[in-house]
Amino acid sequence: MKIFHSIKDFSSPKKTILTLGTFDGVHIGHKKILEKVIQNTLDEKYESTVLTFFPHPRMILQERSEIKLLNTISEKVNLLEQLGIQNLVIHPFDESFSRLTAEDFVKTVLVEQFKIHKIIIGYDHRFGRNRTADINNLIEFGKKYNFEVEQISAQEINDISVSSTKIRNAIQEGNMLLANKYLGYEYILTGTVSKGKQLGRTIGFPTANLKIDEDYKLIPSKGVYIVSSLINGQKVYGMMNIGHNPTVDGKHLSVEVHYLDFEDNLYDQKISVSILKRIRGEEKFDSISLLKEQIEKDKIQTLSYIKELQTK
């Protein structure tokens, strides 16, 4: 997959089949659109192209927007590449871009820069300054500038009935089974392993302290989760704690993973953690020994769930 970091950088020897949007989560609803784009390029006459934006438009256009995103840029790139998209354009979204009129956007961006043969979008897509143009306007522009418009019908979208907002809500509630069902994959946290307080090591549960650099990444609600990671080509399961470690009066939110049957040094390595299921919420215990007792129970529950997964 070719990656371009601005619309003006894009070039292709062929006309394109294009879709555009933020695609936060690259969830099963998005995949319906993306798969149609890919299907339209199987004869190799055209190239599949995705135009997305960063920062998220809501971060720029809405004052005090504290939206948290389902994917970091690198996670989104990986997900789109796995689907088989040929070109990805990540355009810096700013106020001047948001002021482009609908026709200016169609003419200068879609037609002149992307040389589109066809655009594929959802029935409810709006675009242009103040998002005043809709699918009907786009169809008219298609006739004027000689490109096709294919829309994903309301029924197709509603059949899936999924949105990035629904997924964010599920994750904030700790309902990872529902979030993962909507995503079509297990929710990911990616970060660098750094040294923590090493409390886990003293009670027999050493943890990898995950430092997530992107402050816009949505962190699930506090609690204990069953997780897995691919480390050196091997799938490793574990338990992850998200919280403030109230038993030892922790002050900062931490994300710590205890891997089962794994002892390699992970310091300074970048790892991705797939979150399978939430076991329980965060709790404050009266002593370290009671905390250790609970973690032993969490481990039994985790091992039981893993066994269940492996026998399916």
Side-chain angles (χ1 to χ4, degrees):
M1 184 172 75
K2 293 177 188 169
I3 301 168
F4 304 88
H5 292 282
S6 169
I7 287 167
K8 69 179 188 310
D9 293 340
F10 177 79
S11 65
S12 169
K14 299 177 182 178
K15 284 194 165 190
T16 63
I17 307 291
L18 180 136
T19 189
L20 72 160
T22 53
F23 296 106
D24 187 31
V26 194
H27 57 61
I28 57 174
H30 294 144
K31 285 173 189 166
K32 193 132 188 164
I33 297 173
L34 295 163
E35 283 164 3
K36 280 185 183 283
V37 171
I38 292 164
Q39 284 164 11
N40 273 263
T41 60
L42 294 178
D43 60 4
E44 299 185 357
K45 285 183 183 175
Y46 312 105
E47 289 195 348
S48 56
T49 303
V50 171
L51 169 60
T52 191
F53 308 97
F54 189 82
H56 192 289
R58 275 170 59 182
M59 292 175 173
I60 303 298
L61 301 177
Q62 293 181 9
E63 279 188 47
R64 300 193 193 91
S65 173
E66 294 180 3
I67 184 172
K68 297 291 184 182
L69 303 184
L70 300 172
N71 298 139
T72 64
I73 287 295
S74 61
E75 289 165 359
K76 186 186 291 189
V77 167
N78 288 339
L79 289 163
L80 290 168
E81 189 163 30
Q82 285 168 26
L83 286 174
I85 294 294
Q86 291 167 288
N87 300 310
L88 172 62
V89 183
I90 306 165
H91 187 72
F93 191 90
D94 56 23
E95 286 191 24
S96 66
F97 184 79
S98 75
R99 288 196 291 268
L100 269 181
T101 66
E103 184 155 12
D104 279 347
F105 174 72
V106 169
K107 182 175 182 292
T108 62
V109 175
L110 300 185
V111 176
E112 294 175 2
Q113 192 68 34
F114 288 104
K115 298 180 175 60
I116 61 168
H117 172 74
K118 181 191 283 189
I119 184 168
I120 301 175
I121 55 171
Y123 74 98
D124 56 352
H125 185 83
R126 303 192 72 86
F127 65 102
R129 186 187 296 164
N130 299 323
R131 301 182 76 241
T132 50
D134 61 16
I135 187 74
N136 296 314
N137 300 111
L138 192 58
I139 289 167
E140 288 305 311
F141 289 137
K143 291 173 186 171
K144 182 174 180 179
Y145 294 107
N146 194 30
F147 62 84
E148 295 176 28
V149 178
E150 182 177 340
Q151 62 174 309
I152 310 297
S153 69
Q155 184 180 345
E156 282 182 276
I157 297 292
N158 291 336
D159 280 349
I160 300 170
S161 187
V162 61
S163 70
S164 299
T165 302
K166 277 187 181 179
I167 298 168
R168 286 189 202 105
N169 291 341
I171 291 169
Q172 286 168 329
E173 291 163 6
N175 191 345
M176 301 311 301
L177 294 177
L178 180 62
N180 292 345
K181 178 185 172 185
Y182 284 156
L183 285 167
Y185 60 90
E186 286 136 2
Y187 189 64
I188 307 159
L189 289 181
T190 305
T192 305
V193 178
S194 62
K195 278 204 173 182
K197 291 183 176 178
Q198 299 190 307
L199 169 67
R201 191 173 297 278
T202 66
I203 59 173
F205 289 94
T207 59
N209 192 61
L210 200 65
K211 185 176 182 296
I212 297 162
D213 293 326
E214 296 85 357
D215 60 3
Y216 60 82
K217 172 73 177 184
L218 178 64
I219 307 296
S221 60
K222 291 184 281 187
V224 178
Y225 296 81
I226 300 170
V227 300
S228 71
S229 290
L230 198 64
I231 301 174
N232 301 326
Q234 177 189 354
K235 191 169 192 176
V236 184
Y237 289 97
M239 301 181 293
M240 177 175 71
N241 183 73
I242 298 174
H244 289 86
N245 296 313
T247 304
V248 292
D249 298 320
K251 299 289 186 285
H252 303 288
L253 186 76
S254 64
V255 179
E256 299 169 275
V257 185
H258 169 69
Y259 288 110
L260 305 170
D261 303 317
F262 182 83
E263 294 180 0
D264 285 7
N265 182 356
L266 295 173
Y267 286 132
D268 300 323
Q269 286 192 40
K270 193 154 197 170
I271 59 171
S272 288
V273 180
S274 298
I275 308 175
L276 282 61
K277 183 185 178 183
R278 188 178 193 236
I279 299 175
R280 61 176 174 87
E282 183 175 60
E283 296 175 51
K284 181 173 182 176
F285 297 93
D286 293 333
S287 67
I288 297 293
S289 63
L290 286 173
L291 168 63
K292 184 179 179 182
E293 200 175 293
Q294 180 59 56
I295 296 173
E296 293 284 4
K297 291 176 184 174
D298 295 339
K299 182 177 178 180
I300 290 166
Q301 197 174 336
T302 298
L303 288 168
S304 173
Y305 187 74
I306 294 165
K307 187 176 180 182
E308 191 183 312
L309 284 179
Q310 292 173 334
T311 53
K312 276 184 180 177

